[in-house]
Amino acid sequence: HMLATLLLMYRRGISEAQLALKFEFLRREVCLRSGRLCFFESEKHVWLVRRSIELLRDLIEERHHNVYEPKISQRSDYPNMLLLGHYRNKIVHVFFREAIWACAFHSIGLDSSEGVDCGLLLTSATFLFSLIRREVFTSPDPISAEDFGSSFDLMVSRGVFRLLPNGRVEIASEAMFSFLCALCWPFIDSYYVTGLRLHTLEGNHEEEQVRWV
């Protein structure tokens, strides 16, 4: 699950050595959030990465020596993307509330040099959660304002966001911010595409009336 998550973030390829480093980074972040991991204490991370590569052999390819990427270059490879996404989704719940905050920030404040207003960010995060809340089961319930506030405070304490003297918010860790956004974007994209498709099916009511007249 963790290796699939990383490979989907580096679709142009990542070396085995870099994978091992990112693997350890992701392990620490999962443990920090009380996520459950198996075999990590008894096995070396380099071995775990190599074993994971072997298990995903049909879904990834080695473009160069020890440089791997998802096998998704052709239309016929699309099932590989779905299966890798399925594996990635197994860890989304660990980061879901933080991913909501990150994507909300990305939508309103990525180009702002002065940070983002906290109230505006909360409004954006609440709206985004209302759209995709049924996709991931989390505990405690992120719909409450108190829980949203606590998850934001944790992101500040963990160095993902930084509170500015003017009371606004900016990104403190680009790496973690990008990781959190990457976890949530597929859900947002699917809702956007579905909504766009439903809108086109609705058609132009005025043209329909003229045709029948």
Side-chain angles (χ1 to χ4, degrees):
H1 305 308
M2 294 172 61
L3 194 75
T5 301
L6 294 171
L7 286 168
L8 285 174
M9 290 185 64
Y10 297 92
R11 300 185 186 183
R12 295 186 178 180
I14 180 172
S15 69
E16 185 175 325
Q18 289 176 313
L19 272 175
L21 292 175
K22 298 292 183 181
F23 205 70
E24 169 58 17
F25 157 78
L26 187 51
R27 183 199 70 82
R28 290 196 306 267
E29 295 299 329
V30 171
C31 290
L32 184 63
R33 292 157 179 81
S34 301
R36 298 179 63 183
L37 299 172
C38 297
F39 305 117
F40 274 81
E41 301 304 326
S42 60
E43 301 291 349
K44 293 183 178 180
H45 299 153
V46 173
W47 182 89
L48 288 171
V49 168
R50 290 176 181 172
R51 179 57 179 160
S52 298
I53 290 174
E54 292 176 6
L55 293 173
L56 296 174
R57 180 64 64 180
D58 294 337
L59 307 178
I60 63 178
E61 52 188 349
E62 187 177 3
R63 285 289 187 179
H64 308 287
H65 179 63
N66 287 337
V67 176
Y68 300 91
E69 64 183 58
K71 187 178 180 182
I72 54 175
S73 58
Q74 301 179 20
R75 184 179 295 272
S76 59
D77 295 330
Y78 187 67
N80 297 340
M81 173 73 80
L82 293 178
L83 191 51
L84 287 171
H86 170 74
Y87 291 142
R88 176 201 57 214
N89 291 347
K90 299 296 184 180
I91 70 168
V92 170
H93 68 282
V94 178
F95 302 93
F96 184 59
R97 284 175 288 164
E98 294 173 80
I100 291 288
W101 279 104
C103 288
F105 187 102
H106 189 281
S107 68
I108 62 175
L110 195 62
D111 298 325
S112 175
S113 60
E114 300 179 354
V116 173
D117 177 75
C118 288
L120 183 60
L121 182 57
L122 175 60
T123 300
S124 179
T126 303
F127 169 75
L128 179 57
F129 176 75
S130 70
L131 292 179
I132 61 176
R133 57 177 297 190
R134 294 178 178 83
E135 301 299 328
V136 179
F137 292 98
T138 59
S139 180
D141 183 9
I143 194 172
S144 68
E146 293 181 359
D147 192 52
F148 262 124
S150 64
S151 60
F152 174 79
D153 292 339
L154 282 173
M155 294 180 74
V156 173
S157 66
R158 290 167 178 164
V160 181
F161 286 144
R162 181 187 299 114
L163 284 175
L164 301 175
N166 61 5
R168 299 170 75 87
V169 186
E170 69 176 8
I171 301 168
S173 172
E174 290 285 350
M176 193 61 192
F177 177 80
S178 298
F179 169 74
L180 292 171
C181 286
L183 287 180
C184 206
W185 272 332
F187 297 99
I188 299 172
D189 289 343
S190 64
Y191 271 72
Y192 173 77
V193 172
T194 301
L196 190 63
R197 180 58 178 166
L198 290 173
H199 178 70
T200 58
L201 291 175
E202 184 180 22
N204 190 312
H205 293 297
E206 293 183 0
E207 291 182 0
E208 187 70 12
Q209 290 174 359
V210 171
R211 185 174 71 86
W212 281 107
V213 170

